[in-house]
């Protein structure tokens, strides 16, 4: 991220923010002690940003005509296209959830970390090594797309959108894909290592994104990342709470805690590495 301009705290920059997104100029505003700081993601867009900023300072109309007339549906479509990896992860999760409702347990059996079958009236589980040897490599990641209820799905998708969009907007689809794959596989293996097979959800990736965004915002503030401190406290507190007996007493006992912890560790490691690189390049 490249620092462009400092605005006083009392300056209303809401119209400028909307116009920058409407013109697809990647940016971020951060609140600093001295005021609001505007950062630019891509230096190739510097001239376009300066022209828009000059028009805004003159009081001229800066929203593109086509965008002002667009519907909310078109705006959502544009937002989804800007973050293809995050959008794809959301779409696959929703599709899998819909197929589970239509086809039932056959979808679950296809996506669990090892093959599952009914033998002699009971469940029989395959072996991960054998599954991988037979070419079923998707099972390393696929449990992340399994969700076992509406609330499970909604909360995981909400955090995926909140953090994933930030990563992909500021650092590109390649970085988001790296976090998704490494954290998804890492969280699944961490949970499988405890002897659990029937688990799923994107929460391991969500906690990885939390750790990544938090470390980037703390160690490389110029990168433009931001996460409210209370949100960090809430999510970490929730992770710790679900590990206690009290969680089971109030109906939250069946939680993939090791996947959460494994994802968080992956996110912190990636965040430490990439924030260190960002600091050296700044």
């Amino acid at each position: 991220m490249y620092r462009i301009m400092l605005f006083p705290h009392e300056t209303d920059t809401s119209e400028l923010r909307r116009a920058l997104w409407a013109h697809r100029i990647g940016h971020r505003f951060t609140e600093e002690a001295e005021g609001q700081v505007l950062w630019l993601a891509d230096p190739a867009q510097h001239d376009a940003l300066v022209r828009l900023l000059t028009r805004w300072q003159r009081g001229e109309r800066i929203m593109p005509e086509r965008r002002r007339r667009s519907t909310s549906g078109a705006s959502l479509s544009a937002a989804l296209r800007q973050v293809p990896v995050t959008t794809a992860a959301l779409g696959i999760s929703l599709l899998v959830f819909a197929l589970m409702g239509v086809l039932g347990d056959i979808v679950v059996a296809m996506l669990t970390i090892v093959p599952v079958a009914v033998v002699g009236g009971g469940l029989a589980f395959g072996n991960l090594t054998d599954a991988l040897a037979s070419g079923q490599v998707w099972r390393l990641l696929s449990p992340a797309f399994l969700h076992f209820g509406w609330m499970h799905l909604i909360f995981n998708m909400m955090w995926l959108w909140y953090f994933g969009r930030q990563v992909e907007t500021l650092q590109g689809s390649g970085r988001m894909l790296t976090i998704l794959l490494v954290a998804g596989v890492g969280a699944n293996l961490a949970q499988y290592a405890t002897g659990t097979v029937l688990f799923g959800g994107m929460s391991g990736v969500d906690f990885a994104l939390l750790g990544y965004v938090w470390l980037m915002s703390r160690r490389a503030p110029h990168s433009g990342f931001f996460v409210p401190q209370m949100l960090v406290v809430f999510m970490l507190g929730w992770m710790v709470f679900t590990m206690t007996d009290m969680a089971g007493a109030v109906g939250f006992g069946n939680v993939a805690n090791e996947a959460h912890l494994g994802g968080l560790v992956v996110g912190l490691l990636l965040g430490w590495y990439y924030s260190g690189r960002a600091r050296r390049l700044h």
Side-chain angles (χ1 to χ4, degrees), residues 224-235:
F225 283 97
F226 173 75
V227 55
Q229 199 64 28
M230 283 307 299
L231 179 56
V232 177
V233 173
F234 168 77
M235 291 190 69

Side-chain angles (χ1 to χ4, degrees), residues 69-83:
R69 293 179 177 175
S70 65
T71 64
S72 58
S75 299
L76 176 60
S77 176
L80 293 174
R81 288 197 300 271
Q82 289 176 354
V83 287

Side-chain angles (χ1 to χ4, degrees), residues 166-176 179 212 216 223 225 274-275 278:
Q166 193 172 159
V167 170
E168 199 161 1
T169 299
L170 293 174
Q171 295 188 327
S173 298
R175 183 66 50 80
M176 178 58 191
I179 297 173
Y212 183 87
M216 289 296 301
S223 63
F225 283 97
Y274 283 112
S275 62

Side-chain angles (χ1 to χ4, degrees), residues 3 9-10 28 51 71 116-117 122 133 148 150 160 164 189 211 214 280:
R3 181 168 174 149
H9 285 295
E10 63 273 12
R28 185 154 187 88
R51 287 194 296 269
T71 64
V116 179
F148 303 105
W150 279 106
L160 176 65
L189 289 177
W214 178 72
R280 290 192 296 271

